Amino acid sequence: MITVAKLKVGESGIIKKVNIDGDALIRINEMGLTEGARVTVKKRAPLGDPLEITTRGYSLCIRTGDADKIFVEKE
């Protein structure tokens, strides 16, 4: 398994584990980033933070620090 932050632009993975606690976990879950969801990295900001990803049919941006705590199995 690798983290979402390690995926290259255009790569996808299935979320296997979210290693975040507290209010941040609630926020991540409300955005649809739950176990079993497929994520694809669409873009990276010029300095690498944030990432634009797609999941469940919509796009969103997340911080690299949060993406580094979401583990996926690459497709």
Side-chain angles (χ1 to χ4, degrees):
M1 286 193 305
I2 64 170
T3 65
V4 172
K6 302 282 191 245
L7 291 174
K8 295 182 175 119
V9 173
E11 289 185 328
S12 299
I14 303 294
I15 298 176
K16 296 297 179 181
K17 181 180 178 184
V18 179
N19 195 20
I20 300 174
D21 294 324
D23 291 337
L25 178 62
I26 294 169
R27 180 175 49 89
I28 292 292
N29 285 336
E30 287 175 346
M31 289 191 285
L33 297 172
T34 58
E35 290 182 21
R38 181 175 188 255
V39 296
T40 304
V41 176
K42 291 297 182 183
K43 296 180 191 173
R44 288 186 182 272
L47 297 177
D49 194 21
L51 302 172
E52 180 183 345
I53 62 172
T54 58
T55 187
R56 301 181 189 271
Y58 66 94
S59 296
L60 59 107
C61 291
I62 61 172
R63 297 179 188 118
T64 304
D66 290 338
D68 206 32
K69 297 175 183 173
I70 302 171
F71 293 87
V72 297
E73 185 176 296
K74 251 174 92 167
E75 291 187 316

